[in-house]
Amino acid sequence: MLQCTAVTEVPYAEALLALATMEGGPGRPPDALAPDEFLLCELGEHDESVQHAAHLWAADTPDDRDLWFLWSGTGAHRVHGLDTLSLCPALYRDLIAHTVSACAFFDHHPGPHSWAVTDPLGDLLTEHTHAEVRRLLSEGDPDEDGQR
Ligand SMILES: [Zn+2]
Ligand SMILES: [Zn+2]
């Protein structure tokens, strides 16, 4: 499933206040959020009955209640809210790679878990990084072979 493409402007003063008052929030909220920041919905594609959701801050608390920006509608018709929500407890076990990934969304989120949502831009960046790492590794080969 593809990622939802909704984007919205952050209500800056409101978001700073939420960051400043949340448990485990950033020490200096202005460092965590830029005034002109745009937020992307991170959920899988969904219909209008479901609110969009963008992750704002990973709380530094034992119970991991992160700050999310939730909204529906656009422009003057936007309805939004900031909420601290606990993490989705779902885990994905990759039996071939022997890795376990946690879902990046909040508990009781609509739609599929984060690993089932593809972000074309994110995938492109990951691919680029992998290519870069391969390039650096192959450049390092002569040293490992003792040719100096
Ligand atoms: Zn959305
Ligand atoms: Zn989930």
PDB file of all heavy atoms in Angstrom, residues 1-2 42-44 88-94 99-105 109 111-119 123:
ATOM      1  N   MET A   1       0.835  -1.194   0.000  1.00  0.00           N
ATOM      2  CA  MET A   1       0.000   0.000   0.000  1.00  0.00           C
ATOM      3  C   MET A   1       0.873   1.248   0.000  1.00  0.00           C
ATOM      4  O   MET A   1       1.896   1.296   0.671  1.00  0.00           O
ATOM      5  CB  MET A   1      -0.889  -0.007   1.244  1.00  0.00           C
ATOM      6  CG  MET A   1      -1.715   1.257   1.384  1.00  0.00           C
ATOM      7  SD  MET A   1      -2.717   1.248   2.866  1.00  0.00           S
ATOM      8  CE  MET A   1      -4.315   0.855   2.191  1.00  0.00           C
ATOM      9  N   LEU A   2       0.453   2.250  -0.750  1.00  0.00           N
ATOM     10  CA  LEU A   2       1.209   3.494  -0.816  1.00  0.00           C
ATOM     11  C   LEU A   2       0.871   4.400   0.363  1.00  0.00           C
ATOM     12  O   LEU A   2      -0.193   4.312   0.952  1.00  0.00           O
ATOM     13  CB  LEU A   2       0.901   4.236  -2.115  1.00  0.00           C
ATOM     14  CG  LEU A   2       1.507   3.637  -3.374  1.00  0.00           C
ATOM     15  CD1 LEU A   2       1.005   4.390  -4.592  1.00  0.00           C
ATOM     16  CD2 LEU A   2       3.025   3.654  -3.329  1.00  0.00           C
ATOM     17  N   GLU A  42       1.613  10.096   7.466  1.00  0.00           N
ATOM     18  CA  GLU A  42       2.471   8.915   7.390  1.00  0.00           C
ATOM     19  C   GLU A  42       1.693   7.620   7.227  1.00  0.00           C
ATOM     20  O   GLU A  42       2.270   6.557   7.044  1.00  0.00           O
ATOM     21  CB  GLU A  42       3.343   8.838   8.654  1.00  0.00           C
ATOM     22  CG  GLU A  42       4.379   9.939   8.663  1.00  0.00           C
ATOM     23  CD  GLU A  42       5.064  10.109  10.009  1.00  0.00           C
ATOM     24  OE1 GLU A  42       5.395   9.083  10.615  1.00  0.00           O
ATOM     25  OE2 GLU A  42       5.269  11.249  10.418  1.00  0.00           O
ATOM     26  N   LEU A  43       0.380   7.710   7.317  1.00  0.00           N
ATOM     27  CA  LEU A  43      -0.442   6.506   7.217  1.00  0.00           C
ATOM     28  C   LEU A  43      -0.522   6.016   5.779  1.00  0.00           C
ATOM     29  O   LEU A  43      -0.210   6.752   4.852  1.00  0.00           O
ATOM     30  CB  LEU A  43      -1.853   6.808   7.727  1.00  0.00           C
ATOM     31  CG  LEU A  43      -1.962   7.335   9.160  1.00  0.00           C
ATOM     32  CD1 LEU A  43      -3.406   7.698   9.457  1.00  0.00           C
ATOM     33  CD2 LEU A  43      -1.437   6.311  10.151  1.00  0.00           C
ATOM     34  N   GLY A  44      -0.972   4.787   5.624  1.00  0.00           N
ATOM     35  CA  GLY A  44      -1.249   4.274   4.298  1.00  0.00           C
ATOM     36  C   GLY A  44      -2.450   5.018   3.729  1.00  0.00           C
ATOM     37  O   GLY A  44      -3.235   5.607   4.481  1.00  0.00           O
ATOM     38  N   CYS A  88       2.013   1.871  18.587  1.00  0.00           N
ATOM     39  CA  CYS A  88       1.370   0.633  18.159  1.00  0.00           C
ATOM     40  C   CYS A  88       2.252  -0.521  18.631  1.00  0.00           C
ATOM     41  O   CYS A  88       3.465  -0.497  18.425  1.00  0.00           O
ATOM     42  CB  CYS A  88       1.255   0.629  16.637  1.00  0.00           C
ATOM     43  SG  CYS A  88       0.656  -0.923  15.982  1.00  0.00           S
ATOM     44  N   PRO A  89       1.670  -1.504  19.310  1.00  0.00           N
ATOM     45  CA  PRO A  89       2.500  -2.581  19.872  1.00  0.00           C
ATOM     46  C   PRO A  89       2.899  -3.659  18.856  1.00  0.00           C
ATOM     47  O   PRO A  89       3.626  -4.591  19.199  1.00  0.00           O
ATOM     48  CB  PRO A  89       1.601  -3.174  20.959  1.00  0.00           C
ATOM     49  CG  PRO A  89       0.215  -2.898  20.493  1.00  0.00           C
ATOM     50  CD  PRO A  89       0.258  -1.642  19.653  1.00  0.00           C
ATOM     51  N   ALA A  90       2.462  -3.530  17.628  1.00  0.00           N
ATOM     52  CA  ALA A  90       2.706  -4.586  16.647  1.00  0.00           C
ATOM     53  C   ALA A  90       4.177  -4.676  16.243  1.00  0.00           C
ATOM     54  O   ALA A  90       4.865  -3.671  16.115  1.00  0.00           O
ATOM     55  CB  ALA A  90       1.856  -4.345  15.413  1.00  0.00           C
ATOM     56  N   LEU A  91       4.638  -5.905  16.076  1.00  0.00           N
ATOM     57  CA  LEU A  91       6.007  -6.159  15.638  1.00  0.00           C
ATOM     58  C   LEU A  91       5.979  -7.004  14.371  1.00  0.00           C
ATOM     59  O   LEU A  91       5.108  -7.836  14.190  1.00  0.00           O
ATOM     60  CB  LEU A  91       6.789  -6.933  16.709  1.00  0.00           C
ATOM     61  CG  LEU A  91       7.056  -6.230  18.036  1.00  0.00           C
ATOM     62  CD1 LEU A  91       7.688  -7.208  19.014  1.00  0.00           C
ATOM     63  CD2 LEU A  91       7.940  -5.010  17.838  1.00  0.00           C
ATOM     64  N   TYR A  92       6.943  -6.745  13.515  1.00  0.00           N
ATOM     65  CA  TYR A  92       7.056  -7.518  12.283  1.00  0.00           C
ATOM     66  C   TYR A  92       8.351  -8.315  12.343  1.00  0.00           C
ATOM     67  O   TYR A  92       9.436  -7.757  12.476  1.00  0.00           O
ATOM     68  CB  TYR A  92       7.066  -6.565  11.086  1.00  0.00           C
ATOM     69  CG  TYR A  92       7.321  -7.258   9.774  1.00  0.00           C
ATOM     70  CD1 TYR A  92       6.351  -8.072   9.196  1.00  0.00           C
ATOM     71  CD2 TYR A  92       8.530  -7.088   9.111  1.00  0.00           C
ATOM     72  CE1 TYR A  92       6.583  -8.699   7.988  1.00  0.00           C
ATOM     73  CE2 TYR A  92       8.772  -7.707   7.895  1.00  0.00           C
ATOM     74  CZ  TYR A  92       7.799  -8.518   7.346  1.00  0.00           C
ATOM     75  OH  TYR A  92       8.034  -9.134   6.149  1.00  0.00           O
ATOM     76  N   ARG A  93       8.210  -9.643  12.293  1.00  0.00           N
ATOM     77  CA  ARG A  93       9.405 -10.489  12.327  1.00  0.00           C
ATOM     78  C   ARG A  93       9.731 -10.948  10.922  1.00  0.00           C
ATOM     79  O   ARG A  93       8.937 -11.626  10.290  1.00  0.00           O
ATOM     80  CB  ARG A  93       9.167 -11.705  13.222  1.00  0.00           C
ATOM     81  CG  ARG A  93       9.139 -11.341  14.665  1.00  0.00           C
ATOM     82  CD  ARG A  93       9.048 -12.567  15.558  1.00  0.00           C
ATOM     83  NE  ARG A  93       9.098 -12.154  16.960  1.00  0.00           N
ATOM     84  CZ  ARG A  93       8.078 -11.601  17.620  1.00  0.00           C
ATOM     85  NH1 ARG A  93       6.925 -11.434  17.003  1.00  0.00           N
ATOM     86  NH2 ARG A  93       8.207 -11.224  18.862  1.00  0.00           N
ATOM     87  N   ASP A  94      10.918 -10.545  10.460  1.00  0.00           N
ATOM     88  CA  ASP A  94      11.377 -10.991   9.154  1.00  0.00           C
ATOM     89  C   ASP A  94      12.176 -12.267   9.388  1.00  0.00           C
ATOM     90  O   ASP A  94      13.286 -12.239   9.911  1.00  0.00           O
ATOM     91  CB  ASP A  94      12.245  -9.902   8.517  1.00  0.00           C
ATOM     92  CG  ASP A  94      12.617 -10.261   7.086  1.00  0.00           C
ATOM     93  OD1 ASP A  94      12.727 -11.466   6.786  1.00  0.00           O
ATOM     94  OD2 ASP A  94      12.796  -9.340   6.278  1.00  0.00           O
ATOM     95  N   THR A  99      15.257 -10.117  11.524  1.00  0.00           N
ATOM     96  CA  THR A  99      15.129  -8.811  12.149  1.00  0.00           C
ATOM     97  C   THR A  99      13.702  -8.634  12.646  1.00  0.00           C
ATOM     98  O   THR A  99      12.786  -9.289  12.150  1.00  0.00           O
ATOM     99  CB  THR A  99      15.435  -7.665  11.156  1.00  0.00           C
ATOM    100  OG1 THR A  99      14.603  -7.833  10.012  1.00  0.00           O
ATOM    101  CG2 THR A  99      16.893  -7.665  10.742  1.00  0.00           C
ATOM    102  N   VAL A 100      13.539  -7.782  13.625  1.00  0.00           N
ATOM    103  CA  VAL A 100      12.218  -7.443  14.135  1.00  0.00           C
ATOM    104  C   VAL A 100      12.055  -5.937  14.020  1.00  0.00           C
ATOM    105  O   VAL A 100      12.905  -5.187  14.484  1.00  0.00           O
ATOM    106  CB  VAL A 100      12.059  -7.884  15.607  1.00  0.00           C
ATOM    107  CG1 VAL A 100      10.694  -7.480  16.143  1.00  0.00           C
ATOM    108  CG2 VAL A 100      12.256  -9.387  15.739  1.00  0.00           C
ATOM    109  N   SER A 101      10.994  -5.502  13.340  1.00  0.00           N
ATOM    110  CA  SER A 101      10.748  -4.068  13.256  1.00  0.00           C
ATOM    111  C   SER A 101       9.459  -3.758  13.991  1.00  0.00           C
ATOM    112  O   SER A 101       8.493  -4.518  13.912  1.00  0.00           O
ATOM    113  CB  SER A 101      10.603  -3.597  11.815  1.00  0.00           C
ATOM    114  OG  SER A 101      11.194  -4.495  10.923  1.00  0.00           O
ATOM    115  N   ALA A 102       9.450  -2.634  14.677  1.00  0.00           N
ATOM    116  CA  ALA A 102       8.249  -2.199  15.373  1.00  0.00           C
ATOM    117  C   ALA A 102       7.467  -1.283  14.441  1.00  0.00           C
ATOM    118  O   ALA A 102       8.041  -0.575  13.634  1.00  0.00           O
ATOM    119  CB  ALA A 102       8.622  -1.463  16.643  1.00  0.00           C
ATOM    120  N   CYS A 103       6.158  -1.319  14.567  1.00  0.00           N
ATOM    121  CA  CYS A 103       5.320  -0.413  13.786  1.00  0.00           C
ATOM    122  C   CYS A 103       5.583   1.008  14.273  1.00  0.00           C
ATOM    123  O   CYS A 103       5.712   1.248  15.468  1.00  0.00           O
ATOM    124  CB  CYS A 103       3.851  -0.780  13.967  1.00  0.00           C
ATOM    125  SG  CYS A 103       2.724   0.354  13.148  1.00  0.00           S
ATOM    126  N   ALA A 104       5.695   1.950  13.354  1.00  0.00           N
ATOM    127  CA  ALA A 104       6.045   3.339  13.699  1.00  0.00           C
ATOM    128  C   ALA A 104       4.821   4.188  14.011  1.00  0.00           C
ATOM    129  O   ALA A 104       4.954   5.357  14.338  1.00  0.00           O
ATOM    130  CB  ALA A 104       6.829   3.973  12.552  1.00  0.00           C
ATOM    131  N   PHE A 105       3.633   3.606  13.890  1.00  0.00           N
ATOM    132  CA  PHE A 105       2.421   4.391  14.104  1.00  0.00           C
ATOM    133  C   PHE A 105       1.951   4.312  15.551  1.00  0.00           C
ATOM    134  O   PHE A 105       2.567   3.662  16.377  1.00  0.00           O
ATOM    135  CB  PHE A 105       1.306   3.911  13.171  1.00  0.00           C
ATOM    136  CG  PHE A 105       1.656   4.054  11.703  1.00  0.00           C
ATOM    137  CD1 PHE A 105       1.036   3.251  10.758  1.00  0.00           C
ATOM    138  CD2 PHE A 105       2.601   4.973  11.271  1.00  0.00           C
ATOM    139  CE1 PHE A 105       1.345   3.373   9.403  1.00  0.00           C
ATOM    140  CE2 PHE A 105       2.913   5.111   9.919  1.00  0.00           C
ATOM    141  CZ  PHE A 105       2.284   4.301   8.994  1.00  0.00           C
ATOM    142  N   HIS A 109      -4.128   2.704  15.301  1.00  0.00           N
ATOM    143  CA  HIS A 109      -4.134   3.526  14.091  1.00  0.00           C
ATOM    144  C   HIS A 109      -4.972   2.839  13.021  1.00  0.00           C
ATOM    145  O   HIS A 109      -5.094   1.619  13.012  1.00  0.00           O
ATOM    146  CB  HIS A 109      -2.703   3.744  13.583  1.00  0.00           C
ATOM    147  CG  HIS A 109      -1.993   2.464  13.213  1.00  0.00           C
ATOM    148  ND1 HIS A 109      -2.161   1.844  12.012  1.00  0.00           N
ATOM    149  CD2 HIS A 109      -1.146   1.690  13.929  1.00  0.00           C
ATOM    150  CE1 HIS A 109      -1.431   0.739  11.991  1.00  0.00           C
ATOM    151  NE2 HIS A 109      -0.803   0.608  13.134  1.00  0.00           N
ATOM    152  N   GLY A 111      -5.836   1.529   9.189  1.00  0.00           N
ATOM    153  CA  GLY A 111      -5.068   1.007   8.065  1.00  0.00           C
ATOM    154  C   GLY A 111      -3.962   0.061   8.491  1.00  0.00           C
ATOM    155  O   GLY A 111      -3.882  -0.338   9.653  1.00  0.00           O
ATOM    156  N   PRO A 112      -3.099  -0.303   7.533  1.00  0.00           N
ATOM    157  CA  PRO A 112      -2.053  -1.285   7.801  1.00  0.00           C
ATOM    158  C   PRO A 112      -0.923  -0.708   8.649  1.00  0.00           C
ATOM    159  O   PRO A 112      -0.796   0.508   8.777  1.00  0.00           O
ATOM    160  CB  PRO A 112      -1.532  -1.620   6.400  1.00  0.00           C
ATOM    161  CG  PRO A 112      -1.806  -0.415   5.585  1.00  0.00           C
ATOM    162  CD  PRO A 112      -3.061   0.191   6.145  1.00  0.00           C
ATOM    163  N   HIS A 113      -0.095  -1.582   9.209  1.00  0.00           N
ATOM    164  CA  HIS A 113       1.060  -1.150  10.003  1.00  0.00           C
ATOM    165  C   HIS A 113       2.106  -0.497   9.101  1.00  0.00           C
ATOM    166  O   HIS A 113       2.100  -0.683   7.882  1.00  0.00           O
ATOM    167  CB  HIS A 113       1.664  -2.350  10.741  1.00  0.00           C
ATOM    168  CG  HIS A 113       0.713  -2.945  11.728  1.00  0.00           C
ATOM    169  ND1 HIS A 113       0.223  -2.235  12.805  1.00  0.00           N
ATOM    170  CD2 HIS A 113       0.149  -4.174  11.791  1.00  0.00           C
ATOM    171  CE1 HIS A 113      -0.596  -3.017  13.496  1.00  0.00           C
ATOM    172  NE2 HIS A 113      -0.665  -4.191  12.902  1.00  0.00           N
ATOM    173  N   SER A 114       3.027   0.226   9.730  1.00  0.00           N
ATOM    174  CA  SER A 114       3.973   1.056   8.969  1.00  0.00           C
ATOM    175  C   SER A 114       4.811   0.269   7.954  1.00  0.00           C
ATOM    176  O   SER A 114       5.140   0.776   6.893  1.00  0.00           O
ATOM    177  CB  SER A 114       4.884   1.832   9.918  1.00  0.00           C
ATOM    178  OG  SER A 114       5.690   0.952  10.655  1.00  0.00           O
ATOM    179  N   TRP A 115       5.153  -1.001   8.279  1.00  0.00           N
ATOM    180  CA  TRP A 115       5.999  -1.743   7.345  1.00  0.00           C
ATOM    181  C   TRP A 115       5.260  -2.131   6.065  1.00  0.00           C
ATOM    182  O   TRP A 115       5.886  -2.504   5.083  1.00  0.00           O
ATOM    183  CB  TRP A 115       6.595  -2.986   8.006  1.00  0.00           C
ATOM    184  CG  TRP A 115       5.564  -3.909   8.589  1.00  0.00           C
ATOM    185  CD1 TRP A 115       4.781  -4.789   7.901  1.00  0.00           C
ATOM    186  CD2 TRP A 115       5.189  -4.028   9.969  1.00  0.00           C
ATOM    187  NE1 TRP A 115       3.943  -5.436   8.767  1.00  0.00           N
ATOM    188  CE2 TRP A 115       4.178  -4.997  10.038  1.00  0.00           C
ATOM    189  CE3 TRP A 115       5.627  -3.397  11.141  1.00  0.00           C
ATOM    190  CZ2 TRP A 115       3.594  -5.359  11.241  1.00  0.00           C
ATOM    191  CZ3 TRP A 115       5.043  -3.775  12.331  1.00  0.00           C
ATOM    192  CH2 TRP A 115       4.041  -4.733  12.385  1.00  0.00           C
ATOM    193  N   ALA A 116       3.951  -2.035   6.085  1.00  0.00           N
ATOM    194  CA  ALA A 116       3.178  -2.375   4.885  1.00  0.00           C
ATOM    195  C   ALA A 116       2.900  -1.143   4.033  1.00  0.00           C
ATOM    196  O   ALA A 116       2.272  -1.233   2.988  1.00  0.00           O
ATOM    197  CB  ALA A 116       1.877  -3.038   5.283  1.00  0.00           C
ATOM    198  N   VAL A 117       3.369   0.013   4.492  1.00  0.00           N
ATOM    199  CA  VAL A 117       3.149   1.259   3.765  1.00  0.00           C
ATOM    200  C   VAL A 117       4.443   1.646   3.060  1.00  0.00           C
ATOM    201  O   VAL A 117       5.482   1.746   3.695  1.00  0.00           O
ATOM    202  CB  VAL A 117       2.724   2.394   4.734  1.00  0.00           C
ATOM    203  CG1 VAL A 117       2.560   3.709   3.992  1.00  0.00           C
ATOM    204  CG2 VAL A 117       1.446   2.019   5.455  1.00  0.00           C
ATOM    205  N   THR A 118       4.386   1.844   1.761  1.00  0.00           N
ATOM    206  CA  THR A 118       5.586   2.260   1.049  1.00  0.00           C
ATOM    207  C   THR A 118       5.579   3.745   0.812  1.00  0.00           C
ATOM    208  O   THR A 118       4.604   4.316   0.356  1.00  0.00           O
ATOM    209  CB  THR A 118       5.726   1.578  -0.329  1.00  0.00           C
ATOM    210  OG1 THR A 118       4.436   1.178  -0.749  1.00  0.00           O
ATOM    211  CG2 THR A 118       6.657   0.408  -0.278  1.00  0.00           C
ATOM    212  N   ASP A 119       6.701   4.339   1.141  1.00  0.00           N
ATOM    213  CA  ASP A 119       6.917   5.754   0.931  1.00  0.00           C
ATOM    214  C   ASP A 119       7.898   5.854  -0.231  1.00  0.00           C
ATOM    215  O   ASP A 119       9.073   5.585  -0.062  1.00  0.00           O
ATOM    216  CB  ASP A 119       7.484   6.341   2.233  1.00  0.00           C
ATOM    217  CG  ASP A 119       8.035   7.733   2.028  1.00  0.00           C
ATOM    218  OD1 ASP A 119       7.807   8.306   0.951  1.00  0.00           O
ATOM    219  OD2 ASP A 119       8.688   8.230   2.944  1.00  0.00           O
ATOM    220  N   ASP A 123      11.946   5.287   0.063  1.00  0.00           N
ATOM    221  CA  ASP A 123      12.595   4.149  -0.592  1.00  0.00           C
ATOM    222  C   ASP A 123      13.720   4.621  -1.495  1.00  0.00           C
ATOM    223  O   ASP A 123      14.775   4.001  -1.573  1.00  0.00           O
ATOM    224  CB  ASP A 123      11.581   3.356  -1.416  1.00  0.00           C
ATOM    225  CG  ASP A 123      10.670   2.527  -0.525  1.00  0.00           C
ATOM    226  OD1 ASP A 123      10.933   2.479   0.686  1.00  0.00           O
ATOM    227  OD2 ASP A 123       9.706   1.948  -1.039  1.00  0.00           O
TER     228      ASP A 123
END
